[in-house]
Amino acid sequence: DIDNLMLDNGIVRNRRKIISTIKGAQIWQDIESSIGFNNYIWNFVDGAPIQNDFISMSEVPKFTDLSTKISKDLKSHGFNFCGPTIVYAWMEACGIVNNHLVSCPCHEKIKYYRKIYPSKKILLQRTHLSQLRLNGPYYLFQYPLFFLNTLLTQ
């Protein structure tokens, strides 16, 4: 119930964002049941993370042509609050794009990961969704991060 959510101090209490989140969860479920959201997103990058080799933070873009394309596609499905800048930040957080500076120890680990798992087919075989015990739209954020966290803790 939206009115109860508006009283929840633990979330952003913006009616439009709450409605958008509920609508987004329903859209996510539709995509998940048809082709799988993981497949949907990773198809934009042919199943392999984008590897950048930035030396300074001033080189890191706020958004790219790809984040603009994904943003438009998400919006065509009915998602809201997903402009190119937000989408690019999400792509970084999920490991779809490696923007760690070359001086960061994570840069080489993620670069190495891309060489080991160059295809989403291998990525998807490594851990099945049912093993992650995730529900709803949080899968969108957690599933790619699972692989990234596994890599960084090895």
Side-chain angles (χ1 to χ4, degrees):
D1 181 53
I2 294 169
D3 291 329
N4 286 335
L5 289 170
M6 289 292 292
L7 300 173
D8 186 342
N9 290 332
I11 65 170
V12 174
R13 292 170 289 170
N14 175 310
R15 183 171 293 279
R16 287 181 53 221
K17 288 187 178 184
I18 291 171
I19 292 168
S20 176
T21 300
I22 294 166
K23 178 181 167 190
Q26 293 164 342
I27 296 165
W28 179 91
Q29 287 177 332
D30 292 342
I31 295 171
E32 178 64 20
S33 65
S34 63
I35 63 169
F37 198 88
N38 200 47
N39 291 324
Y40 165 73
I41 286 297
W42 283 97
N43 280 333
F44 284 102
V45 292
D46 294 327
I50 296 168
Q51 179 62 48
N52 289 317
D53 293 310
F54 298 127
I55 294 171
S56 100
M57 287 301 293
S58 64
E59 296 175 85
V60 180
K62 292 180 175 58
F63 63 90
T64 62
D65 290 343
L66 179 59
S67 71
T68 301
K69 179 182 177 179
I70 293 171
S71 170
K72 287 178 181 177
D73 201 73
L74 289 167
K75 288 177 182 180
S76 76
H77 284 281
F79 285 99
N80 298 319
F81 297 103
C82 57
T85 303
I86 293 294
V87 168
Y88 194 66
W90 173 79
M91 291 167 64
E92 291 174 310
C94 292
I96 294 170
V97 60
N98 180 9
N99 277 349
H100 287 271
L101 300 181
V102 293
S103 59
C104 175
C106 296
H107 180 270
E108 283 303 311
K109 286 183 178 184
I110 295 168
K111 189 174 184 177
Y112 175 74
Y113 171 75
R114 183 173 187 239
K115 290 176 186 174
I116 295 174
Y117 302 105
S119 158
K120 69 174 179 238
K121 292 176 184 163
I122 295 171
L123 183 72
L124 291 172
Q125 289 171 358
R126 186 160 179 204
T127 301
H128 189 270
L129 173 63
S130 63
Q131 293 173 294
L132 296 179
R133 295 187 173 92
L134 297 172
N135 297 311
Y138 297 108
Y139 162 74
L140 161 68
F141 297 100
Q142 299 292 333
Y143 194 49
L145 287 176
F146 172 81
F147 295 105
L148 196 55
N149 289 335
T150 300
L151 167 71
L152 296 177
T153 57
Q154 291 178 346

